[in-house]
Amino acid sequence: MEEEKSIWLTLFIAAVSGGLASTLIEQFFIAPIRAHWKQRKAAKDIVDAHLDPLLKAADAIVGKTVSLAERDFVPLAGQSGNETDTDLVGLAYLYASFWGRVEILRAESLGVSISGDARGRKLSKFITCFESQRIRLVNRTHQKAIGEITTDLLAGGGLRTIGVVEFGEKLAGSRSAESWCQPLTDLLARTSDRSTRQKLLIYGVVLHSLVDTLDPDHHSTHKRSSYPNKLTKESKRRIKYLVFREYLQGTGAVNTYANPE
């Protein structure tokens, strides 16, 4: 009888211990692994959905910057930020559309760290770079506002970037939109100023590197030559040391765009 009780007690303890072990394994090992892979999948899905349109928007700026550099920004020289010149509005739209894509990425990745994806980690570093105080074109508040002006809510609940005509109509028909965009349009109207041209050229190099690094085979973008002869020695130093050795360290980005003389 005592032997039978001992057997049942042993079986009971083994069952309880086994259940406890399973619970502990699930809580401390399996659940974290499952959560990790869930975050990685969510990050991959976000990057898959947003990287291509963002790179295309960046590529459009790179193409325009290369074209303007080749012509020494002559088409924009002497423009007034208060005029509704179509060339000026069109150029402003390229930056606004790109910033709109950045805002859409942020809005639709809430609760998800895109750094869970290798491309997302690189993209995060590029965003940090072109939003940094010494690289950005306008302050972050205005960049965010301009990006929001260039986005619109879809019927299904998602966001889209508006077209250039809609953008022009917003600037012409809304004092608020015009005011928020004025730091950008004023900057683009001052291309006769050397420092402004250099600022735009450095920003273009960052976006050029973004395109080449995240779409190296150029499936969605264009392979373009850069404009090292248009950069000052100071701009080349800033690109080499600030952009590539500081902000873009670890992204695999290579400075083929400008080297100090």
Side-chain angles (χ1 to χ4, degrees), residues 12 44 123:
F12 175 75
K44 181 181 182 302
L123 179 57

Side-chain angles (χ1 to χ4, degrees), residues 1-201:
M1 188 67 177
E2 290 297 326
E3 184 178 349
E4 184 178 348
K5 287 182 179 179
S6 177
I7 292 172
W8 280 107
L9 180 60
T10 301
L11 291 173
F12 175 75
I13 292 171
V16 171
S17 299
L20 179 60
S22 297
T23 300
L24 291 175
I25 290 171
E26 169 67 27
Q27 182 176 352
F28 294 102
F29 293 97
I30 297 177
I33 292 172
R34 187 182 293 119
H36 170 73
W37 284 107
K38 185 177 180 181
Q39 280 288 321
R40 287 193 62 176
K41 184 181 185 306
K44 181 181 182 302
D45 290 344
I46 288 290
V47 175
D48 284 344
H50 295 281
L51 183 60
D52 183 69
L54 192 148
L55 288 178
K56 286 178 178 175
D59 187 49
I61 296 176
V62 174
K64 187 63 175 179
T65 306
V66 170
S67 176
L68 290 172
E70 289 173 348
R71 293 175 288 169
D72 292 317
F73 289 83
V74 171
L76 290 175
Q79 299 267 12
S80 169
N82 296 320
E83 295 175 1
T84 55
D85 182 273
T86 54
D87 288 338
L88 185 63
V89 171
L91 182 58
Y93 170 76
L94 295 182
Y95 292 98
S97 180
F98 175 66
W99 296 338
R101 280 292 167 190
V102 173
E103 289 309 308
I104 291 174
L105 172 64
R106 284 187 171 130
E108 298 190 359
S109 63
L110 288 176
V112 177
S113 172
I114 63 171
S115 294
D117 181 89
R119 298 162 301 162
R121 284 194 295 276
K122 294 179 182 181
L123 179 57
S124 293
K125 286 198 170 188
F126 274 99
I127 292 174
T128 298
C129 179
F130 64 68
E131 289 186 343
S132 65
Q133 188 173 0
R134 288 184 284 178
I135 301 297
R136 65 192 183 209
L137 300 183
V138 299
N139 65 51
R140 289 187 182 183
T141 301
H142 279 90
Q143 178 183 308
K144 179 176 175 60
I146 294 169
E148 289 177 356
I149 287 168
T150 323
T151 62
D152 195 18
L153 190 64
L154 291 167
L159 292 167
R160 72 175 182 96
T161 52
I162 64 175
V164 63
V165 174
E166 289 179 84
F167 178 71
E169 289 174 348
K170 277 194 174 185
L171 292 189
S174 169
R175 283 284 185 89
S176 176
E178 182 186 19
S179 176
W180 280 114
C181 291
Q182 191 166 350
L184 174 61
T185 54
D186 282 353
L187 176 73
L188 297 177
R190 295 196 304 268
T191 54
S192 56
D193 180 68
R194 187 189 194 193
S195 63
T196 297
R197 293 196 301 272
Q198 292 301 308
K199 194 175 186 71
L200 293 172
L201 292 174

